[in-house]
């Protein structure tokens, strides 16, 4: 009987593994084909799948527009870990991008990485705004829009 239980457990594990492999994106290939697949996943409502496919597309591309689309799509659909990853890629491609750094900072904030978010907001204040007071007002507006669900 124990051998039968081990066999049953092995079958269950292999079935779960096969399903996970089937849902995992295949990285590699043309970035724009992957982006098109990400858009199709988005239309189906598969937000995590779309974010992963966009991640594969951006990994093989140096196009800042693609990195921006990947970041915004993940961010707008609540895939904050992927949004942070894509914002970092966007910044690697386009280091002076204020929207990329802002998405990174807010994504980190939504993931409760306060220290990381503070560092990114500080970088925004230091580089994105000529007038630091204006920068503080802009960031105050961004922070005021964020919910405070933890009290």
């Amino acid at each position: 009987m124990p051998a039968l239980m081990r066999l049953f457990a092995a079958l269950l594990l292999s079935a779960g593994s096969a399903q996970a492999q089937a849902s995992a994106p295949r990285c590699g290939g043309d970035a724009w084909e992957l982006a098109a697949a990400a858009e199709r996943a988005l239309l189906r409502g598969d937000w995590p799948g779309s974010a992963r496919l966009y991640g594969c597309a951006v990994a093989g591309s140096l196009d800042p527009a693609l990195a921006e689309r990947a970041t915004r799509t993940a961010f707008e659909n609540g895939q904050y870990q992927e949004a942070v990853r894509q914002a970092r890629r966007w910044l690697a491609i386009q280091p002076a991008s204020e929207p990329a750094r802002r998405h990174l900072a807010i994504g980190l904030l939504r993931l409760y990485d306060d220290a990381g978010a503070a560092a990114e907001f500080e970088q925004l204040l230091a580089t994105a705004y000529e007038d630091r007071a204006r920068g503080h007002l802009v960031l105050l507006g961004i922070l005021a829009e964020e919910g405070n669900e933890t009290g």
Side-chain angles (χ1 to χ4, degrees):
M1 192 70 160
L4 184 59
M5 293 298 273
R6 283 194 302 264
L7 177 62
F8 183 67
L11 284 173
L12 284 176
L13 289 174
S14 67
S17 171
Q19 185 178 10
Q21 287 175 354
S23 66
R26 291 183 301 257
C27 285
D30 182 65
W32 292 106
E33 287 177 13
L34 288 165
E39 286 296 323
R40 287 191 300 274
L42 192 60
L43 289 172
R44 288 191 311 271
D46 180 9
W47 300 307
S50 176
R52 284 190 304 272
L53 284 164
Y54 260 127
C56 288
V58 170
S61 173
L62 293 175
D63 185 348
L66 183 58
E68 178 180 358
R69 176 72 178 146
T71 302
R72 290 181 186 276
T73 299
F75 191 86
E76 291 165 4
N77 290 290
Q79 306 301 307
Y80 299 120
Q81 288 183 333
E82 195 65 30
V84 163
R85 194 165 71 91
Q86 298 315 321
R88 285 189 171 124
R89 177 69 177 143
W90 184 6
L91 281 170
I93 296 168
Q94 213 172 25
S97 173
E98 184 270 337
R101 191 159 311 276
R102 187 170 19 91
H103 276 84
L104 176 57
I106 296 170
L108 289 169
L109 192 62
R110 290 185 181 179
L111 291 172
Y112 302 102
D113 182 352
D114 296 339
E120 294 303 326
F121 282 127
E122 180 61 35
Q123 183 72 18
L124 270 172
L125 286 171
T127 60
Y129 304 102
E130 289 181 25
D131 178 10
R132 200 163 170 94
R134 177 168 159 36
H136 280 289
L137 286 174
V138 170
L139 295 181
L140 180 61
I142 291 169
L143 292 173
E145 291 177 6
E146 286 300 304
N148 184 6
E149 296 163 6
T150 60

